[in-house]
Amino acid sequence: MEEIKPKLAIIGATGYIGKFITAGFITALHANKLSELRVLSTKSSDITKGFADQGVKVQIVDFTATPTLVAAFTGIDIVVSTLGTGPGTKESKLAILDALAASKVKIYFPSEFGTNHYDRCKNYQHDVFEAKKDHFRQAQAKGIKTIALLCSLIMESSFGKWFGLDTAAEVWTLVGKGETPVAVCAEGDIGHFAVEAALKAFKDPTNFPDFVEVYSDMKTMKEYAQAFDNVAGRSTKLEFTPMEQALAHYESTHHQFEYLLQILFEEGAFDCSDAKNKGNELLNPGELVWKLKKIEEYAQETQGRPWKDFS
């Protein structure tokens, strides 16, 4: 009996996270692991034309109009969303959920792809986290198998000034002591993990976990600094902000999200060593499916100076 292969649709394929997740699914399509791949977009662009050239079905939709979404989802088994939390997205996400239910989509991956704010950030009810939690619960309430793929920090966008890591000045300002493990996930690995999660969930949705934590590498911030220094031939100056002072600063910034993440680095929110669901072993046991990208490789790519030209 021929194996049934899923039909999958992606929302947000032209965005930052969407691009490398879509690349993973295009590879899966070409490897005959999917029977169809659709991309939903509000308009045609050079990016969507590039997708079409690779065998992807591009569908132009209005994300606030449920009927157009129902048409786009008809016949689809799995939907993966990378839609953000900006203005207007709340209404779009409600329309998406209505359309998922109406078109009987079996599995939904909402836009998570970050820290495990469900279990590891309970002391902070930040608007970003609460919006994601609400959307997840609403999807489950409609009877849709909903899966949060939690990827910690994105390796290629985490070692910059927005997190207090000034490569150009060779100074990293860390909350606490910088000795807590912090997991990161490479862009390409997120694409791989998303593909494997979708395929495994399609085969056995009942037993596939609702929350899956994955990562490419995990070191302390001190160890990350050393990895970059080893390549650049320099010694980054590490400055430390006491936790009490950091919490006061967080309150004074009206809960700036990037600064909250720096606090969470120290508090262990990105320490996946005790993950309930061993996502790496579930999706890539022993790294036999693909080799994960490690920080040393990224350090070589950036010559030990990531985001050095960022101002």
Side-chain angles (χ1 to χ4, degrees):
M1 184 176 178
E2 186 177 355
E3 181 183 8
I4 298 174
K5 297 162 189 171
K7 295 182 178 180
L8 186 141
I10 301 173
I11 299 168
T14 60
Y16 170 54
I17 295 176
K19 287 179 183 177
F20 45 82
I21 283 182
T22 303
F25 282 109
I26 289 175
T27 299
L29 178 69
H30 293 169
N32 203 29
K33 295 179 179 179
L34 301 174
S35 62
E36 185 178 327
L37 179 59
R38 298 180 197 173
V39 159
L40 278 61
S41 181
T42 57
K43 61 183 179 181
S44 179
S45 66
D46 289 342
I47 296 174
T48 60
K49 290 175 183 175
F51 292 153
D53 290 342
Q54 297 179 80
V56 178
K57 293 186 178 180
V58 177
Q59 300 203 231
I60 306 303
V61 299
D62 178 353
F63 282 112
T64 63
T66 299
T68 68
L69 292 169
V70 171
F73 290 149
T74 297
I76 288 293
D77 301 299
I78 306 168
V79 170
V80 178
S81 175
T82 64
L83 195 63
T85 56
T89 56
K90 183 176 181 179
E91 293 75 14
S92 295
K93 288 181 178 181
L94 290 173
I96 287 167
L97 292 184
D98 287 341
L100 291 173
S103 52
K104 296 181 171 55
V105 168
K106 299 179 180 68
I107 300 166
Y108 177 47
F109 288 83
S111 185
E112 290 284 351
F113 310 108
T115 184
N116 183 356
H117 56 91
Y118 294 91
D119 291 334
R120 303 184 186 280
C121 309
K122 292 181 178 178
N123 293 331
Y124 305 95
Q125 282 72 50
H126 194 280
D127 289 348
V128 172
F129 294 154
E130 295 309 300
K132 290 187 175 187
K133 286 189 180 81
D134 287 345
H135 184 67
F136 190 92
R137 295 188 194 104
Q138 290 164 352
Q140 287 188 317
K142 289 185 176 292
I144 305 163
K145 173 65 177 182
T146 308
I147 301 167
L149 187 61
L150 304 163
C151 307
S152 292
L153 294 172
I154 299 176
M155 181 185 291
E156 292 87 347
S157 62
S158 292
F159 297 96
K161 291 174 70 174
W162 47 93
F163 286 147
L165 313 178
D166 192 338
T167 300
E170 299 183 6
V171 177
W172 282 19
T173 304
L174 308 175
V175 172
K177 298 179 180 179
E179 296 175 349
T180 305
V182 176
V184 296
C185 200
E187 294 172 350
D189 289 338
I190 295 176
H192 282 298
F193 279 127
V195 169
E196 292 302 316
L199 296 177
K200 287 184 181 296
F202 179 70
K203 289 181 179 178
D204 189 6
T206 301
N207 292 312
F208 195 89
D210 294 340
F211 303 94
V212 182
E213 291 183 85
V214 296
Y215 60 94
S216 301
D217 206 350
M218 185 165 58
K219 301 183 187 303
T220 68
M221 295 306 290
K222 284 184 175 179
E223 290 170 336
Y224 285 128
Q226 187 61 58
F228 290 118
D229 285 350
N230 289 343
V231 174
R234 63 156 195 260
S235 181
T236 296
K237 180 181 179 182
L238 301 180
E239 297 181 344
F240 304 98
T241 303
M243 180 59 74
E244 184 177 345
Q245 181 180 332
L247 290 170
H249 179 71
Y250 173 61
E251 292 298 329
S252 73
T253 64
H254 303 288
H255 298 178
Q256 184 190 50
F257 188 62
E258 289 80 6
Y259 199 75
L260 172 59
L261 295 185
Q262 294 177 60
I263 292 171
L264 293 175
F265 296 168
E266 178 67 10
E267 290 191 345
F270 294 89
D271 182 356
C272 295
S273 55
D274 64 343
K276 293 179 182 177
N277 295 307
K278 302 295 184 181
N280 282 31
E281 284 305 300
L282 174 66
L283 303 178
N284 187 21
E287 293 189 41
L288 295 176
V289 183
W290 80 95
K291 287 296 180 184
L292 295 168
K293 182 176 180 178
K294 302 302 180 183
I295 198 66
E296 289 78 10
E297 183 179 347
Y298 179 56
Q300 290 290 342
E301 289 175 359
T302 60
Q303 298 181 317
R305 297 171 63 83
W307 296 94
K308 65 180 177 64
D309 297 323
F310 182 83
S311 59

